[in-house]
Amino acid sequence: MKKINIALMALVLIITGCTKPTTPPKPKIKIALALGGGAAKGFAHIGVIKILEQNGIKPVIITGTSAGSIIGSLYASGLTPIQLQQKAMDLKESQVVDLTLSTSGFIKGEYLQNFINSSVGNRPIQNLKIPFGAVATNRDSGATALFRSGNTGQAVRASASVPNVFQPVKIGNGYFVDGGLTQPVPVSAARAMGATFVIAVDISAKPKSGISGIFGTLDQSINIMSQVALNSELKKANIVIKPNLDALSSASFDTRHQAILEGEKAALAALPKIKKALGI
């Protein structure tokens, strides 16, 4: 019996000695694109998306705040970068701005909601091609709201509803305003959706004098209110892409082509760092 036990032990030692320890497979990287707010400067997001896709970097999660939620929802619906650019170049302010006389805001936001829903084929958020989250802020509690299901246009409208500019948006039992108040660049939202690698696109600008126009006022309001939140969000990103948009107007669509080009330039400059971090 002792000889049998010794032989078995010897066999076990031989087998375990010859067998290489198995290493667990590396967890799959989940790339997210977190698109920040910045009024008409949001066209720069399209340039960033173009360059990333051309280099095989495609997000599996998209989050957006304000202007970022507009571009993000369209991208998540399946539109290609070229289609995004064409839609941007064809867009008129009158398609998304519906003025009204109201103490709660001089833009209703219904035009924007309808534009988004029409552009995404009237699909709810949960049925978009890429998982998407629109970030807004609860008007009464100040808490961040991350919309991952429901009416896409309505969620985007809420995300872009700057207080006293756009009217608050009622969703369920709450009223919601611009997500830039809590997550100017929605990195935390991307993490909450399961992202392990977040590319943040920051199109914000420091507050400055001489601002005019609806979209200029919109951009300035958020910039003033969200500096602390912005810095907190950007620290949570793996990569931050910041297009040089200081010379461009956030109050008009006239600089949309230049904004797209600046987005491309910034993404190209960030590519080596992104590829190194992703090991590609």
Side-chain angles (χ1 to χ4, degrees):
M1 181 64 72
K2 288 183 179 180
K3 290 182 179 180
I4 295 174
N5 288 337
I6 293 172
L8 287 173
M9 290 176 63
L11 181 60
V12 169
L13 289 173
I14 292 172
I15 293 174
T16 55
C18 295
T19 304
K20 293 182 179 180
T22 57
T23 55
K26 291 183 179 180
K28 187 176 180 180
I29 297 175
K30 292 184 178 181
I31 301 174
L33 195 56
L35 306 178
K41 292 181 180 181
F43 293 111
H45 289 313
I46 298 173
V48 172
I49 291 169
K50 283 177 64 178
I51 296 303
L52 293 180
E53 280 228 353
Q54 287 172 8
N55 287 271
I57 300 169
K58 297 183 179 182
V60 296
I61 296 168
I62 300 170
T63 56
T65 290
S66 201
S69 72
I70 295 172
I71 302 300
S73 65
L74 301 181
Y75 185 35
S77 76
L79 294 183
T80 66
I82 297 302
Q83 289 172 325
L84 284 174
Q85 181 165 333
Q86 187 60 55
K87 186 170 283 290
M89 299 309 294
D90 293 340
L91 183 64
K92 296 179 176 60
E93 288 186 37
S94 60
Q95 291 178 264
V96 293
V97 177
D98 45 352
L99 299 177
T100 185
L101 293 175
S102 172
T103 57
S104 63
F106 54 86
I107 300 178
K108 287 183 181 180
E110 291 177 0
Y111 281 12
L112 175 59
Q113 178 174 324
N114 294 338
F115 170 77
I116 294 297
N117 280 333
S118 175
S119 298
V120 304
N122 292 306
R123 283 174 288 169
I125 294 175
Q126 66 271 22
N127 289 348
L128 298 181
K129 187 175 180 179
I130 302 172
F132 170 69
V135 173
T137 303
N138 187 295
R139 182 195 63 179
D140 300 318
S141 68
T144 300
L146 175 58
F147 293 104
R148 299 176 58 181
S149 62
N151 187 307
T152 303
Q154 187 180 49
V156 170
R157 174 185 174 187
S159 179
S161 291
V162 177
N164 300 317
V165 178
F166 281 82
Q167 294 181 348
V169 181
K170 189 176 189 299
I171 300 177
N173 295 322
Y175 285 88
F176 298 89
V177 293
D178 198 289
L181 298 174
T182 52
Q183 290 190 25
V185 181
V187 180
S188 293
R191 296 291 186 192
M193 291 178 64
T196 59
F197 190 93
V198 182
I199 300 172
V201 186
D202 176 20
I203 58 171
S204 65
K206 293 182 180 180
K208 57 185 178 181
S209 61
I211 294 297
S212 62
I214 293 173
F215 287 100
T217 302
L218 181 156
D219 194 27
Q220 181 84 324
S221 299
I222 291 300
N223 289 336
I224 291 171
M225 293 184 283
S226 63
Q227 289 299 303
V228 173
L230 173 65
N231 294 332
S232 175
E233 286 299 304
L234 294 181
K235 288 178 182 178
K236 301 171 186 175
N238 297 87
I239 300 289
V240 177
I241 298 176
K242 185 169 179 59
N244 182 10
L245 305 171
D246 291 344
L248 303 187
S249 172
S250 60
S252 171
F253 287 6
D254 293 343
T255 58
R256 72 190 88 184
H257 182 65
Q258 186 62 33
I260 292 172
L261 291 177
E262 291 298 335
E264 292 179 10
K265 291 179 185 177
L268 280 170
L271 268 180
K273 189 175 180 180
I274 295 172
K275 289 184 175 181
K276 181 179 180 181
L278 291 174
I280 58 176

